[in-house]
Amino acid sequence: MDFQVVILAGGFSSNLVPLVSKEVPKALLPVANRPVLSYVLDLLESNNLKDLIVVVEGEDAALKVGGWISSACVDRLHVEVAAVAENVGTAGALRAIAHHLTAKDILIVSGDIVSDIPPGAVAATHRRHDAAVTVMLCAQPVSGPSESGGSGGKDKTKKPACDDIIGLDSLKQFLLYIAKGAEIKKDTRVKKSILCAAGKIEIRSDLMDSHIYAFKRSVLQEVLDQKPAFRSLKEDVLPYLVRTQLRSEIFSDQNNVEENGNGNGKNNMQNNEVVLSQILSNASLPSFHQVYESGLDSRKTNKCCVYIADESKFFVRLNSIQAFMDVNRDVIGDANHLSGYSFSAHHNIVHPSAELGSKTTVGPHCMLGEGSQVGDKCSVKRSVIGRHCRIGSNVKIVNSVVMDHATIGDGCSIQGSVICSNAQLQERVTLRDCQVEAGYVVCAGSEQKGETFARK
Amino acid sequence: MGAQKKGGGARVSEDAVEQSRQRLQAILLADSFATKFRPVTLERPKVLLPIVNVPMIDYTLAWLESAGIEEVFVFCCAHSMQVIEYLEKSEWYSHPNLLVRTIESHKSISAGDALRYMYEQQTETSQIQGDFVLVSGDTVSNMPLADLIKEHRERKKKDEKAIMTMVIKQSKSSPLTHQSRLGTDQLFIAVDPLTKQLLHYEEDKVDHPSGSVCLEKSLLDTNPSVLVCNDMQDCYIDICSPEVLSLFEDNFDYQHLRRHFVKGVLVDDIMGYKIFTHEIHSSYAGRIDNFRSYDTVSKDIIQRWTYPYVPDINFSGNRPLKLGRQGIYRASDVVQSRSADVGASTVIGYGTKIGNGDKISNSVIGNGCSIGSNVVIEGSYIWNNVTIEDGCEIRNAIVCDGVKIRAGAVLQPGVVLSFNVVVGRDFVVPAYSKVSLLQQPTTEDSDEELEYADSSSGTADHLSGLNLQMESKASELGPDGAGYIWEACEGAHDEEWKHSVAPIPKDKLFEITQAIDDDDTDDESVVPTSGELKSDADSINTDVNDPNDDYYYFEKEVEGTVLRAVEENIKVDLVTLEINGLRLSYNMESADCAGATFYSMIKLAVDTPHNSASELYKNAASIITKWKELLGFYVKKIDEQIEVIMKFEEMCQESPKELGPLFTQILHLLYDKDVLQEDAVLRWAEEKAGADEADKVYLKQCETFIQWLKEASEEEDEDDEDEEDD
């Protein structure tokens, strides 16, 4: 069997309030007028990974996501949607769906990524090293201020502690140390035993865990079973595996025996695998895991590998409002190859059915959805406007996202804001760095900066 | 060196001209400020000890000379006269390219002192004009220095703070013994992979190993990538800028070049000085730090890694030997019996005679030795003028000048025989023993600074006493032998085999392997690597393990507090305050306080001198009466009172003769003084009723008391009822 893919689509993320609601779980938030989940599915499909399980937190959210999936891609992919209880954590979610997992290796992808890094490459690296876990790393985004002055008020220019500290071996093949951003506050402690075995560890703080993992199923399930307290893949399971990679008592050879079908020639099988993986990884020297293993018999090692994505690749996780803004901007801007749309000569996309009033300009890096109407003398720059929006005259929209069916009155000025679907802005509203919840009505003439509009 | 000069001249830029004008200088520390080579170094300075029949300092000087250094300051402390004398006799003083100057200081007891002394001299004479190379006289190397110095200078020009460049070399330490080939401890360094700046330096101390290397967070804040290496070896060759000397002057507590200076510079972010590393790949550099590195470096020399500093080349006025097949170097006048078997990788010096049927392999034999018949020498270092009589067996030993080994004697692996020792006939010198004609100094102090003191100034005194000791020749080496076997000093038992010339025995390796297993699990629980999971099973285990220990220390502390309170008659509320403080810091329950307080009180009573049981009772009674308030503070609840009874029972069980008989009496006393309530006693009795017979001794003892309590309570109940009736 090939890889089984688990997409952890989350539920209603509290980071993204008020953008998410009962109607719109995180996975269905629009990025350039497509649910974010569709980017993940496209990415997987393009890598020929078609056997997917989408795990959603909460029954309601699962229904919504399931509904969308069945309408969007039921013919192309084999997708199962599984609902798990809310707040069980990523490890808990996997525990809950463990009975669905049958393949030898599991690829786990977070449902909120917009990227063009091929997950297939991760799978290949994983297979090549016969690893217990393979982690995809990508360059930490340069967390400078966004090019527009729009986010000045929010001052979210500092990424919310997503710094990972990652230790690699000298060939950048193995993951030897991982700590999460919050721990950057403390001193970094590197285990000497691993350091001794590897000789060198390169500690990097400019790489980021991209939440795409390949696990050996037997290892993953065993960890989940034996450590019921583990809640998060990234914070618990992965560090645990990395820490114990040179002396994993808990993974007996039995797993291999099981999978190889018979206990006879177990060692041969293993040796063959070792040799094979060595040849495949072009290693002229045996990796330190094998050296360590052979040096101290009765020890089992787990290889924790990494795949480091090329720096030119695009990668964003939609896990904050700022990220939502950024990803919308990028997908129709610098990373427009991801959007799947074809751009006009003006570097923008205006749906043929959209109506533009006289003297209205739609600048480059903009998107105007199907059936939307824009009045006279409007100016739209670097913004995404959804389907069937009605926008009055003399409206200025800069660096913003307007979702489907929103109504914007005459003389409004919107900068760096998110207007959710069905929201209504009455005349002469001026918003800067605001979020307007779905269906909310902003009164005429209000002028706001850095506010969140939501019904309590 | 010519190359360097030409290179400098060829460059048209002003700097290059300036640089070429600057003399290349080096400071050579002719003292290691350590005691690893004792007892040999008591009689001869370490730099004059022969390695493959040439004194160590010659290797260092020859290398410096060929690397283009023009002026060397040889800093002599211990046995400075010997060093100076040697240099005077040698051709170094009259060398055309290398100006050798000696600096003598008897006060310096560490490298730090030496450099401070240099600095003081500097103000008067300004000998050091610019960047200099700092090496110790026990370095064997053939690395080129010119480029490195240029690199250092260029970096210095760009960055004022780059004051030192440190030479490192790849050398993976053994995963088992945690030490390098040279017998030094594991080294953990962190380097910026791009600039090669040194960010962290940590030697693994065998004494207190910790499971992880700790990098400060600021490191990672400022550097996106940090290379942590374990497979590097510090060559102790440093290119220093003059600031290094002034830094030593400013920080008078810097003693050790690495432990204090390098660490100090890395930690200090006020001055912002930086140290850079330079990795050498193809050339050789090794420092002879202990007997194991003596062995390793000797072998490297024999195997020509250190070319051109090899025995068949004259590099320092030494008489070159002839290289034969299989790496056998032999002097031209060696008298060797036909039946002698000289194996691979062996060096035999001038004027040495080898008898019939000898078997010699992997060894170095100095000049003027005479070896009898049927002698076996394996992996050993025999210095000059050694006499070995027939039938001796010598394995992995170092034998210094003038030693006599009488017929049939055996040197087990790891033995070091210092100068002029005589091993008696058929005597077996046990493994790892160090033998000297000098008695082991008894004032051995583990304090490092004093050790330094011993090694330099102290040795002079020892030498003066040499003659006296010679008269009363110790004969620990058999009836016709002479020499004292030195005891391994404290804490050195471990180093004995680690730092010896002998290969590590198999059983030791096995032991270490076992230890590693334990280690691993240890550091797992002790260092829950990064705050990943509090609920991790491992950390739970530690939590479970700790309380016992904690309670023990807590009890000790409480005992001390109570004792002091009684002695100094401190007020009760102050004592409670103190005990409460302890309770918080040890995270104890109030019941634990009750137990511990009561324990200390009874212990105090027991410790007070007494003749009979009744006196003991009186002691206890007076203490309890006096301090019942203190106890009362902690025994407000029934549970706490039960804890006290249990504790008391425990104590009685521990000293059944003294306290045992008094159990009931004291229990009664506690009841009388309102420390214990009857409920507590009765509940205790109930709990105990189900226990083993052996546990019930004290329950039985106080049966009547309990009976009486029960009746009393019933009566009270009745009274109550009566009252209610009224």
Side-chain angles (χ1 to χ4, degrees), chain B residues 162-296:
Chain B
I163 54 165
M164 184 162 137
T165 304
M166 202 164 119
V167 177
I168 53 172
K169 187 178 194 311
Q170 177 143 19
S171 142
K172 202 163 173 200
S173 52
S174 142
L176 282 180
T177 53
H178 295 289
Q179 66 172 4
S180 65
R181 276 178 77 233
L182 293 179
T184 47
D185 289 330
Q186 259 183 318
L187 176 68
F188 296 94
I189 57 175
V191 178
D192 184 319
L194 293 175
T195 63
K196 304 290 176 205
Q197 189 191 339
L198 183 74
L199 303 171
H200 183 83
Y201 189 96
E202 181 177 337
E203 278 170 304
D204 193 39
K205 287 276 154 342
V206 190
D207 312 14
H208 38 85
S210 71
S212 54
V213 180
C214 187
L215 299 179
E216 275 179 61
K217 68 156 207 271
S218 55
L219 277 187
L220 290 161
D221 287 348
T222 47
N223 301 288
S225 169
V226 174
L227 198 59
V228 185
C229 313
N230 168 239
D231 54 355
M232 287 297 167
Q233 166 198 319
D234 187 349
C235 301
Y236 285 85
I237 299 170
D238 304 319
I239 317 298
C240 304
S241 295
E243 284 90 337
V244 172
L245 287 182
S246 54
L247 261 180
F248 268 101
E249 179 66 17
D250 295 345
N251 298 281
F252 56 87
D253 55 339
Y254 283 175
Q255 304 290 352
H256 194 272
L257 275 180
R258 294 294 183 257
R259 262 168 249 158
H260 302 122
F261 175 73
V262 169
K263 282 194 172 173
V265 170
L266 290 178
V267 168
D268 176 25
D269 42 8
I270 298 168
M271 303 296 281
Y273 284 129
K274 293 172 189 166
I275 297 174
F276 288 83
T277 58
H278 174 86
E279 190 184 342
I280 52 171
H281 298 279
S282 53
S283 35
Y284 185 86
R287 182 171 175 239
I288 301 153
D289 177 59
N290 50 47
F291 287 118
R292 181 167 298 284
S293 42
Y294 181 90
D295 176 56
T296 314

Side-chain angles (χ1 to χ4, degrees), chain B residues 90-207:
Chain B
S90 74
E91 54 186 54
W92 288 115
Y93 266 162
S94 54
H95 202 281
N97 298 329
L98 184 69
L99 188 59
V100 177
R101 294 166 193 253
T102 47
I103 296 173
E104 214 180 330
S105 159
H106 290 293
K107 276 178 285 174
S108 303
I109 54 167
S110 68
D113 286 340
L115 293 176
R116 273 187 282 279
Y117 187 80
M118 285 297 294
Y119 183 81
E120 281 161 23
Q121 296 289 52
Q122 175 77 0
T123 49
E124 293 160 22
T125 59
S126 67
Q127 293 155 315
I128 303 288
Q129 291 151 344
D131 301 331
F132 60 94
V133 182
L134 178 62
V135 292
S136 66
D138 47 10
T139 308
V140 176
S141 173
N142 59 4
M143 66 173 288
L145 284 172
D147 288 344
L148 179 57
I149 295 172
K150 207 156 74 189
E151 184 188 311
H152 174 79
R153 282 182 177 161
E154 263 156 34
R155 186 156 45 218
K156 182 78 199 308
K157 218 182 296 159
K158 275 185 217 137
D159 186 351
E160 275 290 297
K161 302 290 186 188
I163 54 165
M164 184 162 137
T165 304
M166 202 164 119
V167 177
I168 53 172
K169 187 178 194 311
Q170 177 143 19
S171 142
K172 202 163 173 200
S173 52
S174 142
L176 282 180
T177 53
H178 295 289
Q179 66 172 4
S180 65
R181 276 178 77 233
L182 293 179
T184 47
D185 289 330
Q186 259 183 318
L187 176 68
F188 296 94
I189 57 175
V191 178
D192 184 319
L194 293 175
T195 63
K196 304 290 176 205
Q197 189 191 339
L198 183 74
L199 303 171
H200 183 83
Y201 189 96
E202 181 177 337
E203 278 170 304
D204 193 39
K205 287 276 154 342
V206 190
D207 312 14

Side-chain angles (χ1 to χ4, degrees), chain A residues 244-259:
Chain A
T244 58
Q245 57 182 311
L246 290 181
R247 34 161 226 96
S248 51
E249 310 100 349
I250 65 165
F251 311 112
S252 50
D253 325 27
Q254 281 162 8
N255 297 312
N256 287 324
V257 183
E258 264 170 43
E259 270 145 30

Side-chain angles (χ1 to χ4, degrees), chain B residues 587-603:
Chain B
N587 197 14
M588 290 291 161
E589 306 273 324
S590 162
D592 294 323
C593 289
T597 314
F598 180 72
Y599 169 80
S600 18
M601 283 162 68
I602 296 295
K603 191 136 190 281

Side-chain angles (χ1 to χ4, degrees), chain B residues 514-573:
Chain B
Q514 298 293 12
I516 284 176
D517 283 342
D518 302 343
D519 268 9
D520 253 14
T521 36
D522 274 358
D523 57 47
E524 180 63 17
S525 50
V526 175
V527 191
T529 327
S530 31
E532 34 209 350
L533 238 226
K534 309 296 170 282
S535 49
D536 194 324
D538 295 323
S539 50
I540 289 172
N541 281 340
T542 43
D543 287 351
V544 174
N545 285 336
D546 282 340
N548 293 330
D549 254 13
D550 269 5
Y551 183 72
Y552 174 75
Y553 290 117
F554 170 70
E555 203 172 72
K556 283 269 169 243
E557 294 255 15
V558 171
E559 198 187 318
T561 309
V562 172
L563 196 68
R564 204 159 27 104
V566 172
E567 270 170 12
E568 295 171 18
N569 218 355
I570 299 173
K571 277 189 186 157
V572 170
D573 33 343

Side-chain angles (χ1 to χ4, degrees), chain A residues 17-216:
Chain A
V17 171
L19 305 190
V20 293
S21 62
K22 285 260 177 295
E23 304 302 313
V24 187
K26 180 178 167 185
L28 297 185
L29 274 180
V31 172
N33 292 338
R34 276 167 57 188
V36 60
L37 189 59
S38 70
Y39 290 87
V40 178
L41 295 181
D42 284 358
L43 185 66
L44 292 168
E45 194 192 355
S46 69
N47 280 273
N48 211 18
L49 293 161
K50 292 182 176 171
D51 185 13
L52 316 178
I53 302 174
V54 178
V55 183
V56 186
E57 281 188 5
E59 291 287 343
D60 293 347
L63 278 177
K64 299 267 183 244
V65 173
W68 175 79
I69 287 176
S70 57
S71 69
C73 51
V74 71
D75 47 338
R76 299 183 286 149
L77 301 164
H78 175 252
V79 183
E80 243 178 288
V81 178
V84 296
E86 280 177 58
N87 292 324
V88 288
T90 44
L94 284 172
R95 224 174 261 130
I97 59 143
H99 56 278
H100 288 294
L101 303 176
T102 49
K104 180 166 176 267
D105 295 293
I106 311 287
L107 189 70
I108 296 170
V109 183
S110 174
D112 56 1
I113 59 177
V114 177
S115 171
D116 53 359
I117 306 172
V122 182
T125 309
H126 183 71
R127 277 287 160 81
R128 189 168 66 218
H129 289 292
D130 189 32
V133 57
T134 303
V135 180
M136 166 127 91
L137 303 175
C138 57
Q140 194 95 247
V142 188
S143 54
S146 52
E147 44 215 283
S148 68
S151 59
K154 275 264 150 186
D155 200 24
K156 281 201 170 176
T157 48
K158 270 195 179 166
K159 293 278 179 210
C162 60
D163 299 342
D164 293 313
I165 298 178
I166 283 159
L168 304 172
D169 75 323
S170 50
L171 293 172
K172 298 186 173 50
Q173 284 181 336
F174 298 109
L175 181 64
L176 303 170
Y177 178 81
I178 187 160
K180 222 182 84 84
E183 285 150 21
I184 204 169
K185 304 281 176 290
K186 287 183 267 161
D187 293 349
T188 305
R189 298 182 155 274
V190 183
K191 274 185 79 170
K192 280 183 182 167
S193 54
I194 291 182
L195 185 52
C196 294
K200 274 191 182 64
I201 295 186
E202 196 180 345
I203 308 273
R204 303 274 295 256
S205 51
D206 57 348
L207 288 175
M208 178 172 83
D209 174 7
S210 67
H211 291 248
I212 300 181
Y213 311 110
F215 276 97
K216 203 177 259 183

